[in-house]
């Protein structure tokens, strides 16, 4: 009996150690020994190229978000569909139609493979590059612990189901975020990333031309702004034009997104939705009335939290050789 208890105890301890080794936490500077130059290679490349292509910063942080929201931050978004097996990966799902920056990550991956083959995951590259690129736009720096491994599964229907849509209301957004361990503060703060980048008219044209299916306009969108968009940007419901989400400062990471949202000039229903709940409204007011340093601190906290969603560590997943392909 005593011996059995002892054996069970040993099994339990071994079991726990195994769980610990497959579910290891992310670590700051995880590649310090295995690829000491990894983080420097990323930041140098970003600093060299993003100033010439500032809109890529927006693309990269959005890529990180869409990756993390489906199967965790595991670069599943980067996998190409394979016609031989017929699987449609996340990349081809409608929410990802407008995700850009895949080539940029591929080029970084090549540099890292040349430096230390098979060591640095695509998931970590996306996470580091997004942070470093936002810094170039004048945005906050946040901690990026590393050690994420790359997933081997990618499914387009999951992306469609789990990535919030621009027509979502506040309860849907709250749910979508809660499903990923993020709360209303994270929702408001991370939506602030819409201070940079562009949107295609198709993402919101229904608000201008056919909100409820009777040729109407969304009453929650500032009518002057709507008129202006219809006259100059999205001239029909099928317009393929791109619009700056934060006109005039779409390359600068600042508080202006929230000021627009309060003026009912956020482009998406999901932006407007943030003013329809007392908790999220009060968070917006705190942000707008505070210093941008406070927003930056909050953004950094929420990004670090987002970067931990469902990560694969230890011996789960793999280190892909090419970001678009499972090994
Ligand atoms: C709250 C739910 C969210 C919804 C419904 C949403 C929706 C969208 C949509 C529809 C676009 C425009 C795509 C296009 O037409 O080209 C967009 C762009 C963008 N989103 Fe979001 N988003 C959300 C949250 C986030 C978060 C959490 C981040 C990052 C932390 C983010 C970062 C961006 C950026 C930077 C762009 C511009 C991309 C570019 O310039 O290519 N969004 N978003
Ligand atoms: C993945 O797909 C993209 C475009 O769909 C293509 O440009 C790229 O070469 C593909 N990558 C690989 C490794 O097949
Ligand atoms: C594609 O499907 C095959 C077989 O179902 C699977 O082994 C593979 O991991 C899938 N690839 C992706 C990227 O999901
Ligand atoms: C993809 O996900 C959907 C929805 O969760 C599921 O029904 C479908 O079977 C999945 N496809 C594959 C190939 O696993
Ligand atoms: C929000 O949208 C969901 C999904 O479309 C819907 O089921 C729900 O009733 C909506 N909630 C409110 C308060 O409008
Ligand atoms: C969200 O979570 C953070 C901690 O990650 C916490 O500081 C914040 O108060 C929470 N916000 C809400 C609305 O619960
Ligand atoms: C508006 O939406 C309704 C219902 O979906 C559709 O029947 C109608 O054709 C749309 N009108 C335009 C101009 O797209
Ligand atoms: C927009 O495209 C739809 C679908 O292709 C078409 O039915 C509709 O007539 C177009 N509307 C306009 C205003 O061009
Ligand atoms: C980058 C990429 O693969 N984009 C695809 C996203 O999904 C649409 C279909 O929904 C494809 O047409 C795009 O090529």
């Amino acid at each position: 009996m005593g011996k059995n208890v002892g054996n069970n105890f040993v099994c339990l301890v071994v079991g726990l150690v195994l769980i610990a080794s497959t579910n290891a936490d992310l670590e700051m500077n995880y590649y310090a020994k295995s690829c000491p130059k990894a983080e420097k290679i990323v930041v140098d490349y970003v600093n060299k190229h993003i100033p010439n292509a500032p809109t890529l910063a927006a693309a990269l942080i959005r890529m990180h978000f869409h990756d993390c929201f489906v199967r965790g931050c595991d670069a599943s978004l980067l996998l190409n569909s394979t016609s031989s097996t017929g699987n449609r990966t996340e990349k081809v799902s409608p929410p990802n139609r407008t995700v850009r920056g895949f080539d940029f990550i591929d080029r970084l991956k090549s540099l890292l493979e040349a430096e230390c083959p098979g060591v640095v995951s695509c998931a970590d590259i996306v996470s580091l590059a997004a942070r470093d690129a936002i810094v170039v736009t004048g945005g906050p720096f946040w901690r990026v612990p590393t050690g994420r491994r790359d997933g081997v599964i990618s499914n387009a229907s999951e992306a469609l189901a789990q990535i919030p849509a621009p027509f979502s209301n506040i309860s849907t957004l709250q749910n979508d975020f809660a499903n990923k361990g993020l709360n209303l503060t994270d929702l408001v703060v991370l939506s602030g990333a819409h201070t940079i980048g562009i949107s295609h008219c198709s993402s919101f044209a229904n608000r201008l031309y056919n909100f409820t299916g009777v040729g109407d306009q969304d009453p929650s969108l500032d009518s002057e702004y709507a008129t202006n968009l219809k006259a100059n940007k999205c001239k029909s419901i099928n317009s393929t034009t791109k619009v700056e989400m934060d006109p005039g400062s779409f390359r600068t990471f600042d508080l202006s997104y929230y000021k627009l949202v309060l003026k009912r000039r956020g482009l998406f229903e999901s932006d407007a939705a943030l003013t329809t709940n007392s908790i999220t409204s009060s968070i917006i007011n705190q942000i707008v009335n505070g210093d941008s340093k406070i927003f930056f601190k909050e953004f950094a906290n929420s990004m670090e939290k987002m970067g931990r969603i469902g990560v694969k560590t230890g011996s789960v997943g793999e280190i892909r050789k090419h970001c678009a392909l499972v090994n």
Side-chain angles (χ1 to χ4, degrees), residues 55 57-63 65-66 69 95 97-100 134 163-168 173 177 186-187 189-204 242 245 268 270-271 274 299 303 306:
T55 70
L60 292 172
I61 193 170
R62 184 161 184 245
M63 179 190 285
F65 162 52
H66 284 206
F69 262 58
R97 211 181 48 211
T98 46
V99 175
R100 311 176 285 130
I134 292 301
I163 294 172
F167 49 81
S168 307
L173 292 169
F177 273 63
D186 302 311
L187 169 63
V189 166
L190 293 175
S191 293
H194 289 170
T195 179
I196 53 169
I198 51 99
S199 168
H200 292 75
C201 290
S202 53
S203 296
F204 60 89
K242 291 177 248 180
M245 292 199 290
F268 310 131
S270 62
D271 298 321
L274 302 177
F299 193 82
M303 281 305 299
M306 189 185 94

Side-chain angles (χ1 to χ4, degrees), residues 164-226:
F167 49 81
S168 307
N169 61 32
I170 190 69
S171 36
T172 303
L173 292 169
Q174 180 170 14
N175 263 324
D176 288 349
F177 273 63
N179 285 340
K180 304 297 164 188
L182 301 179
N183 66 23
L184 288 174
T185 307
D186 302 311
L187 169 63
V188 172
V189 166
L190 293 175
S191 293
H194 289 170
T195 179
I196 53 169
I198 51 99
S199 168
H200 292 75
C201 290
S202 53
S203 296
F204 60 89
N206 69 313
R207 299 184 81 196
L208 303 175
Y209 292 103
N210 206 3
F211 187 57
T212 64
V214 295
D216 52 338
Q217 197 168 297
D218 181 349
S220 75
L221 180 63
D222 174 54
S223 61
E224 207 177 303
Y225 191 45

Side-chain angles (χ1 to χ4, degrees), residues 88 90-99 102:
R88 297 182 67 253
E90 291 168 29
K91 223 185 223 183
V92 301
S93 86
N96 293 333
R97 211 181 48 211
T98 46
V99 175
F102 296 106

Side-chain angles (χ1 to χ4, degrees), residues 292-311:
S292 66
K293 282 197 188 108
I294 299 171
F295 167 52
F296 279 20
K297 181 85 181 53
E298 297 264 308
F299 193 82
N301 288 341
S302 292
M303 281 305 299
E304 187 179 341
K305 212 166 153 185
M306 189 185 94
R308 290 180 186 275
I309 297 172
V311 291

Side-chain angles (χ1 to χ4, degrees), residues 6-77:
N7 281 344
N8 286 342
F9 180 71
V10 169
C11 285
L12 181 67
V13 170
V14 169
L16 286 175
V17 168
L18 279 178
I19 289 170
S21 69
T22 51
N23 285 346
D25 207 354
L26 301 177
E27 284 171 36
M28 289 307 289
N29 213 3
Y30 174 83
Y31 298 108
K33 290 215 175 70
S34 57
C35 191
K37 291 196 188 135
E39 296 198 15
K40 185 164 187 325
I41 289 173
V42 175
V43 73
D44 285 351
Y45 191 78
V46 165
N47 287 342
K48 185 167 170 207
H49 295 285
I50 296 292
N52 305 323
T55 70
L56 258 183
L60 292 172
I61 193 170
R62 184 161 184 245
M63 179 190 285
H64 189 29
F65 162 52
H66 284 206
D67 179 35
C68 292
F69 262 58
V70 189
R71 293 191 170 268
C73 314
D74 70 343
S76 50
L77 168 57

